[in-house]
Amino acid sequence: MKKTPDHIAILILAAGASSRMGRPKQLLPWENTSLLEHAIRTAKASNGTEVMTVLGANARMIQSHLEEGERCVENPLWQSGLGSSIACGVRELLQSGNTISGVLIMLADQPLINFKYLNSLIEASSDNQNRIIATAYKNRAGVPALFPRSYFDELLKLDKDFGAKQLLEREKIVTISAGDCVVDIDTAEDYEQLKQRNEPET
């Protein structure tokens, strides 16, 4: 049996303003809940040992729709981009006092990603404990991605000028395919198409 790292925290990025959607996509209905709550449930069903969500735009409204007790942190610099939200979330996780061996970063708007795929990233990390484990896209690596503890200092320094994208491009990493599950929801059209695709056949 493969040994997984002792403590993998899952960080869900949900700080964006959804400008192309025209309304907070974090709260869009998905299955029997919302996009964000679905992402939280997926993360909690995985082998990760704690889950935290980074909020930004519409933070109070979004948090009021989450189930009671969900761990969230508000990034006051969310407009700077994903890099600042990652740094904010990692900082909050480290301040909790728990010993974390890795951080798995995922997005709130990729609802086809399931807990089994997150587990595959965690399992790959157990065999490559000092390497980033990322999702393979056509011409690049992206999130969901798991960063081992040796990268925490660099994650804490991410900002609008240097984000995770550059870190993934620069470093030698392990990539895993998620098949056709890495679909982001940016527009109302994206949302409707993905909802139809996800509906069970009758």
Side-chain angles (χ1 to χ4, degrees):
M1 182 179 292
K2 292 181 179 179
K3 181 183 181 300
T4 56
D6 294 332
H7 192 104
I8 298 295
I10 300 181
L11 197 61
I12 302 172
L13 304 182
S18 312
S19 56
R20 293 171 63 189
M21 179 66 66
R23 54 178 171 152
K25 62 182 173 182
Q26 297 92 329
L27 299 179
L28 290 173
W30 188 264
E31 296 182 354
N32 63 341
T33 184
S34 66
L35 273 182
L36 176 53
E37 192 65 54
H38 176 79
I40 293 172
R41 292 179 183 181
T42 298
K44 286 186 170 182
S46 77
N47 292 332
T49 50
E50 65 177 291
V51 178
M52 177 174 289
T53 301
V54 182
L55 299 175
N58 307 301
R60 304 283 169 81
M61 178 176 66
I62 292 168
Q63 191 163 9
S64 71
H65 284 80
L66 296 179
E67 293 180 5
E68 189 175 348
E70 302 291 10
R71 288 183 67 195
C72 298
V73 60
E74 184 175 345
N75 176 21
L77 303 175
W78 64 268
Q79 289 175 296
S80 296
L82 290 180
S84 72
S85 288
I86 292 170
C88 175
V90 171
R91 189 176 302 111
E92 185 72 16
L93 286 169
L94 293 177
Q95 288 174 351
S96 71
N98 294 327
T99 301
I100 302 169
S101 51
V103 172
L104 199 170
I105 296 169
M106 61 182 288
L107 304 178
D109 64 351
Q110 292 183 330
L112 300 186
I113 293 290
N114 58 39
F115 75 92
K116 292 180 181 178
Y117 180 69
L118 298 182
N119 285 345
S120 71
L121 297 175
I122 294 171
E123 288 166 10
S125 181
S126 71
D127 292 331
N128 301 273
Q129 294 193 4
N130 292 311
R131 299 176 71 181
I132 299 169
I133 313 297
T135 298
Y137 287 72
K138 274 188 177 179
N139 301 309
R140 61 185 176 88
V143 292
L146 196 159
F147 295 83
R149 188 174 187 87
S150 55
Y151 287 89
F152 285 4
D153 285 345
E154 291 183 78
L155 293 177
L156 290 169
K157 295 172 184 174
L158 297 181
D159 56 27
K160 64 182 179 180
D161 296 319
F162 187 77
K165 180 180 177 182
Q166 289 93 325
L167 190 60
L168 290 171
E169 287 174 348
R170 191 190 70 194
E171 301 292 346
K172 187 176 181 182
I173 61 176
V174 175
T175 57
I176 296 178
S177 172
D180 57 358
C181 292
V182 286
V183 181
D184 298 355
I185 295 176
D186 293 318
T187 66
E189 184 180 11
D190 294 339
Y191 172 59
E192 293 301 330
Q193 288 178 350
L194 209 57
K195 263 206 318 182
Q196 290 177 14
R197 172 180 160 187
N198 193 58
E199 287 174 358
E201 294 182 6
T202 55

